Amino acid sequence: QVQLVESGGGLVQAGSSLTLSCAASGRTVSSDSMAWFRQAPGKEREFVASSRWSATSGIYFTDSIDSVKGRFTISRDNAKNTVYLQMNSLKPEDTAVYYCAAQSKYSGSVRDQRRYDSWGQGTQVTVSS
């Protein structure tokens, strides 16, 4: 099983930017579906963004929820075995613990957290108004 460690969270003002990192160890995740989820206080954990490798197409497909489209970008550095979440124009409603997850074999869904077999410990992002 791969180990995932998130970093980069913090306390920022609305309108600021942060970049979260998810460093993987134990094996390469270049072919995994990787995703970011978040959990706000009192709410269930929700899907934020994903990057899925398609062997058929030879490219990574990305997906994200509507509320972060145009503001958040998921990317990967396979040489570093690391996935990033660039977050721009942050809003107070983005406040949450952000989790990185890996799905070693694509199951047909990137948004269903039950399909992911490895999780990081989470990193707190707090956006003040």
Side-chain angles (χ1 to χ4, degrees), residues 79-100:
K80 296 182 178 180
N81 214 25
T82 299
V83 179
Y84 303 96
L85 185 67
Q86 173 68 43
M87 306 186 295
N88 299 325
S89 302
L90 282 161
K91 304 176 180 180
E93 50 264 43
D94 295 319
T95 295
V97 177
Y98 283 71
Y99 298 91
C100 176

PDB file of all heavy atoms in Angstrom, residues 79-100:
ATOM      1  N   ALA A  79       8.149  12.488 -11.483  1.00  0.00           N
ATOM      2  CA  ALA A  79       9.544  12.347 -11.061  1.00  0.00           C
ATOM      3  C   ALA A  79       9.660  12.446  -9.542  1.00  0.00           C
ATOM      4  O   ALA A  79      10.536  11.817  -8.942  1.00  0.00           O
ATOM      5  CB  ALA A  79      10.404  13.405 -11.729  1.00  0.00           C
ATOM      6  N   LYS A  80       8.764  13.229  -8.938  1.00  0.00           N
ATOM      7  CA  LYS A  80       8.768  13.381  -7.487  1.00  0.00           C
ATOM      8  C   LYS A  80       7.705  12.522  -6.817  1.00  0.00           C
ATOM      9  O   LYS A  80       7.588  12.536  -5.591  1.00  0.00           O
ATOM     10  CB  LYS A  80       8.545  14.849  -7.119  1.00  0.00           C
ATOM     11  CG  LYS A  80       9.655  15.773  -7.583  1.00  0.00           C
ATOM     12  CD  LYS A  80       9.388  17.206  -7.135  1.00  0.00           C
ATOM     13  CE  LYS A  80      10.529  18.125  -7.572  1.00  0.00           C
ATOM     14  NZ  LYS A  80      10.301  19.537  -7.159  1.00  0.00           N
ATOM     15  N   ASN A  81       6.938  11.800  -7.632  1.00  0.00           N
ATOM     16  CA  ASN A  81       5.864  10.958  -7.096  1.00  0.00           C
ATOM     17  C   ASN A  81       4.926  11.786  -6.217  1.00  0.00           C
ATOM     18  O   ASN A  81       4.531  11.360  -5.120  1.00  0.00           O
ATOM     19  CB  ASN A  81       6.430   9.783  -6.297  1.00  0.00           C
ATOM     20  CG  ASN A  81       5.602   8.523  -6.419  1.00  0.00           C
ATOM     21  OD1 ASN A  81       4.884   8.315  -7.400  1.00  0.00           O
ATOM     22  ND2 ASN A  81       5.690   7.664  -5.421  1.00  0.00           N
ATOM     23  N   THR A  82       4.587  12.962  -6.708  1.00  0.00           N
ATOM     24  CA  THR A  82       3.839  13.945  -5.925  1.00  0.00           C
ATOM     25  C   THR A  82       2.684  14.514  -6.745  1.00  0.00           C
ATOM     26  O   THR A  82       2.830  14.719  -7.954  1.00  0.00           O
ATOM     27  CB  THR A  82       4.765  15.079  -5.461  1.00  0.00           C
ATOM     28  OG1 THR A  82       5.791  14.533  -4.635  1.00  0.00           O
ATOM     29  CG2 THR A  82       4.001  16.133  -4.668  1.00  0.00           C
ATOM     30  N   VAL A  83       1.584  14.736  -6.066  1.00  0.00           N
ATOM     31  CA  VAL A  83       0.405  15.354  -6.660  1.00  0.00           C
ATOM     32  C   VAL A  83       0.172  16.693  -5.957  1.00  0.00           C
ATOM     33  O   VAL A  83       0.386  16.799  -4.747  1.00  0.00           O
ATOM     34  CB  VAL A  83      -0.829  14.447  -6.514  1.00  0.00           C
ATOM     35  CG1 VAL A  83      -2.073  15.100  -7.102  1.00  0.00           C
ATOM     36  CG2 VAL A  83      -0.572  13.104  -7.174  1.00  0.00           C
ATOM     37  N   TYR A  84      -0.268  17.677  -6.715  1.00  0.00           N
ATOM     38  CA  TYR A  84      -0.468  19.010  -6.170  1.00  0.00           C
ATOM     39  C   TYR A  84      -1.916  19.464  -6.368  1.00  0.00           C
ATOM     40  O   TYR A  84      -2.603  19.011  -7.277  1.00  0.00           O
ATOM     41  CB  TYR A  84       0.456  20.007  -6.868  1.00  0.00           C
ATOM     42  CG  TYR A  84       1.917  19.660  -6.777  1.00  0.00           C
ATOM     43  CD1 TYR A  84       2.549  18.966  -7.808  1.00  0.00           C
ATOM     44  CD2 TYR A  84       2.668  20.013  -5.667  1.00  0.00           C
ATOM     45  CE1 TYR A  84       3.889  18.631  -7.736  1.00  0.00           C
ATOM     46  CE2 TYR A  84       4.016  19.681  -5.573  1.00  0.00           C
ATOM     47  CZ  TYR A  84       4.614  19.001  -6.609  1.00  0.00           C
ATOM     48  OH  TYR A  84       5.956  18.663  -6.527  1.00  0.00           O
ATOM     49  N   LEU A  85      -2.316  20.382  -5.528  1.00  0.00           N
ATOM     50  CA  LEU A  85      -3.579  21.081  -5.722  1.00  0.00           C
ATOM     51  C   LEU A  85      -3.287  22.564  -5.577  1.00  0.00           C
ATOM     52  O   LEU A  85      -3.044  23.053  -4.465  1.00  0.00           O
ATOM     53  CB  LEU A  85      -4.639  20.636  -4.722  1.00  0.00           C
ATOM     54  CG  LEU A  85      -6.030  21.238  -4.944  1.00  0.00           C
ATOM     55  CD1 LEU A  85      -6.638  20.710  -6.251  1.00  0.00           C
ATOM     56  CD2 LEU A  85      -6.967  20.942  -3.780  1.00  0.00           C
ATOM     57  N   GLN A  86      -3.270  23.259  -6.706  1.00  0.00           N
ATOM     58  CA  GLN A  86      -3.071  24.700  -6.704  1.00  0.00           C
ATOM     59  C   GLN A  86      -4.430  25.345  -6.473  1.00  0.00           C
ATOM     60  O   GLN A  86      -5.361  25.121  -7.251  1.00  0.00           O
ATOM     61  CB  GLN A  86      -2.480  25.158  -8.030  1.00  0.00           C
ATOM     62  CG  GLN A  86      -2.389  26.682  -8.185  1.00  0.00           C
ATOM     63  CD  GLN A  86      -1.386  27.314  -7.242  1.00  0.00           C
ATOM     64  OE1 GLN A  86      -0.282  26.792  -7.062  1.00  0.00           O
ATOM     65  NE2 GLN A  86      -1.750  28.423  -6.614  1.00  0.00           N
ATOM     66  N   MET A  87      -4.535  26.137  -5.415  1.00  0.00           N
ATOM     67  CA  MET A  87      -5.802  26.757  -5.061  1.00  0.00           C
ATOM     68  C   MET A  87      -5.660  28.269  -5.124  1.00  0.00           C
ATOM     69  O   MET A  87      -4.859  28.854  -4.379  1.00  0.00           O
ATOM     70  CB  MET A  87      -6.230  26.318  -3.653  1.00  0.00           C
ATOM     71  CG  MET A  87      -6.282  24.804  -3.475  1.00  0.00           C
ATOM     72  SD  MET A  87      -6.941  24.312  -1.876  1.00  0.00           S
ATOM     73  CE  MET A  87      -5.670  24.946  -0.796  1.00  0.00           C
ATOM     74  N   ASN A  88      -6.392  28.885  -6.014  1.00  0.00           N
ATOM     75  CA  ASN A  88      -6.375  30.340  -6.180  1.00  0.00           C
ATOM     76  C   ASN A  88      -7.726  30.923  -5.775  1.00  0.00           C
ATOM     77  O   ASN A  88      -8.731  30.217  -5.722  1.00  0.00           O
ATOM     78  CB  ASN A  88      -6.060  30.710  -7.620  1.00  0.00           C
ATOM     79  CG  ASN A  88      -4.704  30.220  -8.072  1.00  0.00           C
ATOM     80  OD1 ASN A  88      -3.744  30.186  -7.305  1.00  0.00           O
ATOM     81  ND2 ASN A  88      -4.616  29.842  -9.348  1.00  0.00           N
ATOM     82  N   SER A  89      -7.720  32.221  -5.535  1.00  0.00           N
ATOM     83  CA  SER A  89      -8.959  32.938  -5.197  1.00  0.00           C
ATOM     84  C   SER A  89      -9.734  32.202  -4.110  1.00  0.00           C
ATOM     85  O   SER A  89     -10.946  31.963  -4.231  1.00  0.00           O
ATOM     86  CB  SER A  89      -9.832  33.098  -6.451  1.00  0.00           C
ATOM     87  OG  SER A  89      -9.132  33.782  -7.461  1.00  0.00           O
ATOM     88  N   LEU A  90      -9.045  31.867  -3.057  1.00  0.00           N
ATOM     89  CA  LEU A  90      -9.671  31.094  -1.989  1.00  0.00           C
ATOM     90  C   LEU A  90     -10.808  31.858  -1.323  1.00  0.00           C
ATOM     91  O   LEU A  90     -10.763  33.088  -1.194  1.00  0.00           O
ATOM     92  CB  LEU A  90      -8.622  30.688  -0.952  1.00  0.00           C
ATOM     93  CG  LEU A  90      -7.736  29.508  -1.379  1.00  0.00           C
ATOM     94  CD1 LEU A  90      -6.468  29.451  -0.553  1.00  0.00           C
ATOM     95  CD2 LEU A  90      -8.506  28.210  -1.264  1.00  0.00           C
ATOM     96  N   LYS A  91     -11.820  31.113  -0.925  1.00  0.00           N
ATOM     97  CA  LYS A  91     -13.012  31.659  -0.283  1.00  0.00           C
ATOM     98  C   LYS A  91     -13.162  31.030   1.106  1.00  0.00           C
ATOM     99  O   LYS A  91     -12.680  29.922   1.339  1.00  0.00           O
ATOM    100  CB  LYS A  91     -14.241  31.352  -1.118  1.00  0.00           C
ATOM    101  CG  LYS A  91     -14.175  31.830  -2.556  1.00  0.00           C
ATOM    102  CD  LYS A  91     -15.407  31.389  -3.335  1.00  0.00           C
ATOM    103  CE  LYS A  91     -15.349  31.863  -4.784  1.00  0.00           C
ATOM    104  NZ  LYS A  91     -16.546  31.441  -5.547  1.00  0.00           N
ATOM    105  N   PRO A  92     -13.843  31.714   2.002  1.00  0.00           N
ATOM    106  CA  PRO A  92     -14.068  31.121   3.334  1.00  0.00           C
ATOM    107  C   PRO A  92     -14.709  29.739   3.271  1.00  0.00           C
ATOM    108  O   PRO A  92     -14.408  28.877   4.109  1.00  0.00           O
ATOM    109  CB  PRO A  92     -14.973  32.154   4.018  1.00  0.00           C
ATOM    110  CG  PRO A  92     -14.600  33.446   3.379  1.00  0.00           C
ATOM    111  CD  PRO A  92     -14.321  33.104   1.940  1.00  0.00           C
ATOM    112  N   GLU A  93     -15.546  29.511   2.276  1.00  0.00           N
ATOM    113  CA  GLU A  93     -16.204  28.212   2.163  1.00  0.00           C
ATOM    114  C   GLU A  93     -15.260  27.099   1.703  1.00  0.00           C
ATOM    115  O   GLU A  93     -15.653  25.927   1.668  1.00  0.00           O
ATOM    116  CB  GLU A  93     -17.412  28.282   1.222  1.00  0.00           C
ATOM    117  CG  GLU A  93     -17.150  28.921  -0.115  1.00  0.00           C
ATOM    118  CD  GLU A  93     -17.521  30.395  -0.140  1.00  0.00           C
ATOM    119  OE1 GLU A  93     -17.213  31.114   0.837  1.00  0.00           O
ATOM    120  OE2 GLU A  93     -18.102  30.824  -1.157  1.00  0.00           O
ATOM    121  N   ASP A  94     -14.029  27.451   1.360  1.00  0.00           N
ATOM    122  CA  ASP A  94     -13.025  26.430   1.047  1.00  0.00           C
ATOM    123  C   ASP A  94     -12.355  25.891   2.308  1.00  0.00           C
ATOM    124  O   ASP A  94     -11.554  24.948   2.230  1.00  0.00           O
ATOM    125  CB  ASP A  94     -11.954  27.007   0.122  1.00  0.00           C
ATOM    126  CG  ASP A  94     -12.487  27.385  -1.245  1.00  0.00           C
ATOM    127  OD1 ASP A  94     -13.303  26.612  -1.800  1.00  0.00           O
ATOM    128  OD2 ASP A  94     -12.096  28.449  -1.763  1.00  0.00           O
ATOM    129  N   THR A  95     -12.671  26.483   3.445  1.00  0.00           N
ATOM    130  CA  THR A  95     -12.094  26.026   4.701  1.00  0.00           C
ATOM    131  C   THR A  95     -12.474  24.583   4.976  1.00  0.00           C
ATOM    132  O   THR A  95     -13.657  24.228   4.978  1.00  0.00           O
ATOM    133  CB  THR A  95     -12.580  26.918   5.868  1.00  0.00           C
ATOM    134  OG1 THR A  95     -12.064  28.243   5.687  1.00  0.00           O
ATOM    135  CG2 THR A  95     -12.108  26.372   7.205  1.00  0.00           C
ATOM    136  N   ALA A  96     -11.458  23.749   5.179  1.00  0.00           N
ATOM    137  CA  ALA A  96     -11.681  22.318   5.395  1.00  0.00           C
ATOM    138  C   ALA A  96     -10.349  21.630   5.642  1.00  0.00           C
ATOM    139  O   ALA A  96      -9.281  22.234   5.450  1.00  0.00           O
ATOM    140  CB  ALA A  96     -12.351  21.693   4.170  1.00  0.00           C
ATOM    141  N   VAL A  97     -10.430  20.383   6.040  1.00  0.00           N
ATOM    142  CA  VAL A  97      -9.256  19.515   6.022  1.00  0.00           C
ATOM    143  C   VAL A  97      -9.222  18.866   4.648  1.00  0.00           C
ATOM    144  O   VAL A  97     -10.219  18.287   4.201  1.00  0.00           O
ATOM    145  CB  VAL A  97      -9.311  18.436   7.120  1.00  0.00           C
ATOM    146  CG1 VAL A  97      -8.107  17.509   7.016  1.00  0.00           C
ATOM    147  CG2 VAL A  97      -9.381  19.079   8.498  1.00  0.00           C
ATOM    148  N   TYR A  98      -8.086  18.977   3.983  1.00  0.00           N
ATOM    149  CA  TYR A  98      -7.939  18.452   2.635  1.00  0.00           C
ATOM    150  C   TYR A  98      -7.150  17.139   2.687  1.00  0.00           C
ATOM    151  O   TYR A  98      -6.076  17.072   3.303  1.00  0.00           O
ATOM    152  CB  TYR A  98      -7.226  19.457   1.744  1.00  0.00           C
ATOM    153  CG  TYR A  98      -8.134  20.578   1.313  1.00  0.00           C
ATOM    154  CD1 TYR A  98      -8.562  21.554   2.205  1.00  0.00           C
ATOM    155  CD2 TYR A  98      -8.613  20.652   0.000  1.00  0.00           C
ATOM    156  CE1 TYR A  98      -9.424  22.576   1.825  1.00  0.00           C
ATOM    157  CE2 TYR A  98      -9.469  21.668  -0.399  1.00  0.00           C
ATOM    158  CZ  TYR A  98      -9.866  22.616   0.518  1.00  0.00           C
ATOM    159  OH  TYR A  98     -10.722  23.614   0.129  1.00  0.00           O
ATOM    160  N   TYR A  99      -7.696  16.129   2.031  1.00  0.00           N
ATOM    161  CA  TYR A  99      -7.107  14.802   2.007  1.00  0.00           C
ATOM    162  C   TYR A  99      -6.716  14.412   0.591  1.00  0.00           C
ATOM    163  O   TYR A  99      -7.449  14.666  -0.365  1.00  0.00           O
ATOM    164  CB  TYR A  99      -8.100  13.765   2.531  1.00  0.00           C
ATOM    165  CG  TYR A  99      -8.525  13.954   3.954  1.00  0.00           C
ATOM    166  CD1 TYR A  99      -9.652  14.709   4.264  1.00  0.00           C
ATOM    167  CD2 TYR A  99      -7.817  13.360   4.992  1.00  0.00           C
ATOM    168  CE1 TYR A  99     -10.049  14.884   5.583  1.00  0.00           C
ATOM    169  CE2 TYR A  99      -8.217  13.524   6.314  1.00  0.00           C
ATOM    170  CZ  TYR A  99      -9.328  14.283   6.592  1.00  0.00           C
ATOM    171  OH  TYR A  99      -9.727  14.444   7.901  1.00  0.00           O
ATOM    172  N   CYS A 100      -5.603  13.760   0.494  1.00  0.00           N
ATOM    173  CA  CYS A 100      -5.144  13.166  -0.755  1.00  0.00           C
ATOM    174  C   CYS A 100      -5.495  11.675  -0.737  1.00  0.00           C
ATOM    175  O   CYS A 100      -5.422  11.027   0.328  1.00  0.00           O
ATOM    176  CB  CYS A 100      -3.634  13.357  -0.863  1.00  0.00           C
ATOM    177  SG  CYS A 100      -2.866  12.585  -2.283  1.00  0.00           S
TER     178      CYS A 100
END
